[in-house]
Amino acid sequence: MAAALVMAAAPLAAQTVEGRVVDATGEPVAGAVVVLVGADGVRRDAAVTGGDGAYAVRAKAAGTYTLRVERVGYQSAQSAPVTLAAGQTARRNLAAGARRVTLPQVTVVSSERDCVERPRQDADVAVVWEEARKALSSAALASEQRLFAYGMRLYRRAFRMPFREPIGPQHTEEPALSREPFLATPQEQLIARGYVHMAGDSIVYHAPDAATLLSDEFLAQHCFGLVEGQGPRAGLVGLEFSPIRARRQPDVRGVLWLERASGALRHLEYQYTGLDYHGPMHELGGRVDFEQIPGGPWIARRWQIRMPGLARSRGGPPVVHSLIERGGEIIAVQADGQDWSVAGAGALTGTLTDRVTGAPLGGVRVTLEGTPYATVSDAGGSFGLPGVPAGRYDLVLRPPSLDSVLVRMDPVPVEIEAGRVATRALALPRAEHVVARACRGAEGVALAGWLQTLTGPITASGATVRARWTTADSVRFDRRLNTPTGGTAYLVCGLPPSAQVEVRIDVAGNAARTLVQLPDAGAARQDLDVGIHRWTPPRERPTERFESAPIRVYGRVRDARTRRPLAGARVTLGEGLPAVTTARDGTFAWQAVPPGTYLLRAASGDGRERVVAVAAAGGGTLEIELGVP
């Protein structure tokens, strides 16, 4: 029996490969991932190199293996085969890859049509995914193997929507020590129940972590594409993901943002999908910021999740009436056997002014996104955020005029250094120019405005706004649109410069009308006074955001001499949209035109023709009446 026990124990002895990883100069490489790969190509074990480049990986059975060294921003390197006998410890020093990885230029923004269901099925997507995967693998290993203890600060705050009014005090926990930054949900549960599910009388919202994003189940349930960073994301490449069409459970879509120059993973932004709620759905989701520990692995440095406070609606889905925001950040890292201490902190101060007038802007909410650090600028436009742990952040500014609008200003990247004060002097654009960014692709002037009474702005979801104008060549236009869900603003795109426009709002039997003289360029603002207080139509689900909403183009063609409708005229609206023929009453229509500027061409059967420029953006209906000579 003793001999049998010895024989049975022999295969269970550990087989180990250990050594150091160095670069081309012989210097140790910290934070690289060393993967032990079996003869069948399957990963058997992995480890993260320490500050001295040391690693150790173990095999469950004797055999022949190879070692792959993965380092963010560099091509992976693979060793010669290593044969391990039972219980053997082999030593292999490894050279990390020295060739830099170049992330591809994104020439076309990804869309549902070109979204690939596996990252490796598209060459460009595969390059970006490989760099993201390296950082995610490092973060997942650090968590799985519990390499460190973390000093964490957690917070919770709540806002009443749509004006983001704070509800109660913000709750921040004192730093605590933990082996796991946050607990991950098993992927099989997320596949079966979705990222949002009921647990007793509570609704549970799950966030994707590094292990989730790496799993075969996640890759099988999502498709991927690339997006180019714009504005504050300039210099970044985004790996966009969204659930496949067959997915029925609540899920997540988002973007992994990487630095083009270094291939480093910076952060993940995500939103929930498949939720049957009313309200600002784009607010539900969160963010995870990734950083590499000096001399160590990558970690999720900061995280944030935004969940809804729900109210019942009569006969319809629940309504999002508030926003609950929970998050945390790692402020210290402790290696085994060493005392942990709070990471070095710095501060951020600044001033805010109006870009047009230069006047100071008070009352602007200033937040470091994904953190509990927030303040409001004073009457002189000054703000200060002391005691901020060193790191990279996105500074989010929200003037009072944008509190009720479902758009936001571009964040400002800032870097906080330990023991130093970072200063920013920022000139903010006017609110109407921020809203008018949704008119991208539409030529001409934008007109934005807020709906209000004598007591202030009102929420008027589903109110109808009409803008009417006539061009110099006698073409009449009539734009009809709805205000966004929970919004108080309207937006009309593609108006002719220097024209006079009539604007009218109809809501709950009340109407307001005014004439607006447009500027030569840019955006104009015209607020509308409505004789009601607050009104939200029941079971109304209008467009939730200004951005990228398609528009219905409807019109009529008449004979310019007789004013009679022209039947059978051929009408085109640029490439990619089918030509239509006017009906007996001269009418034509396209139901969903993507945002942009088009040339509408109407040709009668006897060879007469009329061409006009048409700007489609912001949602709603554009009515056109033109005469053919």
Side-chain angles (χ1 to χ4, degrees):
M1 184 179 295
L5 288 174
V6 172
M7 293 175 63
L12 300 179
Q15 293 72 225
T16 304
V17 185
E18 60 183 33
R20 296 173 69 238
V21 176
V22 297
D23 61 19
T25 67
E27 292 296 317
V29 175
V33 175
V34 178
V35 183
L36 183 69
V37 182
D40 55 0
V42 176
R43 167 179 161 161
R44 301 302 184 188
D45 193 21
V48 180
T49 59
D52 58 355
Y55 75 92
V57 289
R58 293 172 175 81
K60 292 183 178 180
T64 300
Y65 301 88
T66 56
L67 299 163
R68 185 173 67 244
V69 180
E70 300 177 347
R71 182 166 55 143
V72 171
Y74 295 85
Q75 290 191 347
S76 300
Q78 189 157 308
S79 74
V82 179
T83 300
L84 294 175
Q88 179 186 3
T89 296
R91 183 167 184 83
R92 293 290 187 276
N93 291 332
L94 306 173
R99 186 176 177 183
R100 300 287 310 198
V101 171
T102 302
L103 297 188
Q105 292 285 340
V106 183
T107 55
V108 179
V109 176
S110 64
S111 65
E112 188 174 358
R113 181 176 55 189
D114 58 17
C115 189
V116 296
E117 293 192 4
R118 286 280 182 172
R120 292 185 175 88
Q121 291 180 357
D122 180 273
D124 287 344
V125 173
V127 171
V128 179
W129 164 246
E130 184 64 16
E131 295 312 299
R133 187 194 62 76
K134 293 174 185 176
L136 294 171
S137 296
S138 178
L141 279 172
S143 177
E144 175 188 335
Q145 299 178 359
R146 299 193 171 192
L147 300 179
F148 302 98
Y150 304 100
M152 298 186 301
R153 179 183 285 122
L154 306 177
Y155 69 93
R156 180 190 185 278
R157 54 192 175 202
F159 305 94
R160 184 175 292 107
M161 301 300 289
F163 302 103
R164 277 185 164 264
E165 302 164 310
I167 303 175
Q170 175 180 293
H171 176 68
T172 303
E173 298 180 11
E174 290 301 313
L177 196 63
S178 174
R179 282 286 178 181
E180 294 183 274
F182 50 81
L183 298 177
T185 304
Q187 185 63 24
E188 56 270 17
Q189 293 185 22
L190 297 178
I191 294 298
R193 300 186 302 186
Y195 285 74
V196 179
H197 66 88
M198 294 296 299
D201 58 355
S202 300
I203 304 178
V204 180
Y205 294 81
H206 299 275
D209 68 339
T212 296
L213 296 168
L214 289 168
S215 67
D216 289 337
E217 294 85 354
F218 185 89
L219 298 180
Q221 292 290 329
H222 294 81
C223 64
F224 299 81
L226 299 182
V227 60
E228 185 74 19
Q230 304 289 337
R233 302 285 183 261
L236 302 182
V237 178
L239 179 65
E240 197 172 38
F241 60 85
S242 58
I244 59 176
R245 289 184 177 182
R247 182 73 168 149
R248 293 292 178 262
Q249 290 81 1
D251 214 295
V252 287
R253 66 179 180 189
V255 183
L256 287 160
W257 289 104
L258 292 80
E259 286 186 357
R260 181 184 302 284
S262 66
L265 176 61
R266 284 301 162 217
H267 66 271
L268 160 69
E269 296 171 327
Y270 66 92
Q271 296 175 333
Y272 291 106
T273 66
L275 302 181
D276 191 17
Y277 301 156
H278 286 172
M281 302 301 294
H282 66 284
E283 293 274 12
L284 307 183
R287 171 177 170 133
V288 182
D289 288 67
F290 294 91
E291 288 185 17
Q292 185 177 13
I293 299 173
W298 287 76
I299 60 171
R301 170 73 186 278
R302 290 182 292 272
W303 58 95
Q304 175 194 71
I305 180 171
R306 297 185 301 272
M307 303 165 286
L310 298 175
R312 295 183 180 275
S313 64
R314 187 176 302 174
V319 176
V320 178
H321 71 84
S322 60
L323 201 64
I324 302 165
E325 188 176 282
R326 300 183 71 97
E329 62 179 343
I330 293 175
I331 59 176
V333 178
Q334 175 196 21
D336 290 336
Q338 299 179 5
D339 293 332
W340 74 282
S341 59
V342 175
L348 174 65
T349 63
T351 56
L352 306 176
T353 57
D354 186 293
R355 182 176 294 174
V356 177
T357 65
L361 293 176
V364 178
R365 190 178 302 127
V366 181
T367 306
L368 292 180
E369 190 166 25
T371 77
Y373 305 105
T375 187
V376 176
S377 62
D378 60 24
S382 298
F383 68 91
L385 294 170
V388 179
R392 298 182 181 184
Y393 298 87
D394 276 349
L395 180 68
V396 178
L397 305 171
R398 195 163 185 89
S401 56
L402 291 180
D403 276 351
S404 59
V405 185
L406 303 185
V407 295
R408 72 174 195 169
M409 294 179 56
D410 289 336
V412 180
V414 296
E415 185 162 359
I416 306 297
E417 298 182 23
R420 304 188 67 175
V421 177
T423 302
R424 294 289 185 275
L426 302 172
L428 276 60
R430 293 291 183 92
E432 58 266 29
H433 289 276
V434 176
V435 174
R437 290 175 185 169
C439 291
R440 57 185 178 272
E443 299 177 357
V445 174
L447 175 62
W450 275 250
L451 316 179
Q452 60 185 18
T453 65
L454 294 177
T455 60
I458 62 169
T459 301
S461 303
T464 300
V465 177
R466 300 181 68 175
R468 297 175 176 175
W469 70 98
T470 302
T471 64
D473 53 356
S474 301
V475 178
R476 288 196 293 272
F477 288 87
D478 192 342
R479 271 292 304 273
R480 303 185 186 192
L481 58 151
N482 290 337
T483 57
T485 302
T488 70
Y490 70 92
L491 173 65
V492 186
C493 304
L495 298 175
S498 305
Q500 190 176 66
V501 178
E502 180 189 61
V503 183
R504 174 188 173 106
I505 179 174
D506 293 279
V507 54
N510 295 268
R513 181 170 54 189
T514 187
L515 291 176
V516 182
Q517 183 64 45
L518 298 178
D520 295 336
R525 175 171 177 171
Q526 178 62 56
D527 297 340
L528 296 174
D529 294 323
V530 184
I532 59 175
H533 292 286
R534 291 180 181 270
W535 172 80
T536 301
R539 285 182 281 184
E540 183 75 29
R541 302 197 75 171
T543 304
E544 292 183 353
R545 302 190 75 177
F546 289 126
E547 289 88 345
S548 302
I551 187 170
R552 180 176 182 262
V553 177
Y554 168 84
R556 187 188 304 272
V557 181
R558 296 182 183 271
D559 187 300
R561 293 167 295 188
T562 66
R563 300 298 301 160
R564 292 179 178 177
L566 275 179
R570 187 174 187 270
V571 187
T572 59
L573 195 62
E575 298 180 1
L577 291 168
V580 296
T581 302
T582 57
R584 293 180 61 183
D585 58 355
T587 58
F588 61 89
W590 287 272
Q591 298 302 323
V593 176
T597 300
Y598 301 87
L599 284 180
L600 185 147
R601 187 183 305 271
S604 63
D606 56 6
R608 290 178 293 163
E609 187 175 83
R610 186 71 181 275
V611 180
V612 297
V614 174
T621 300
L622 176 61
E623 299 183 9
I624 308 164
E625 183 164 312
L626 70 164
V628 173

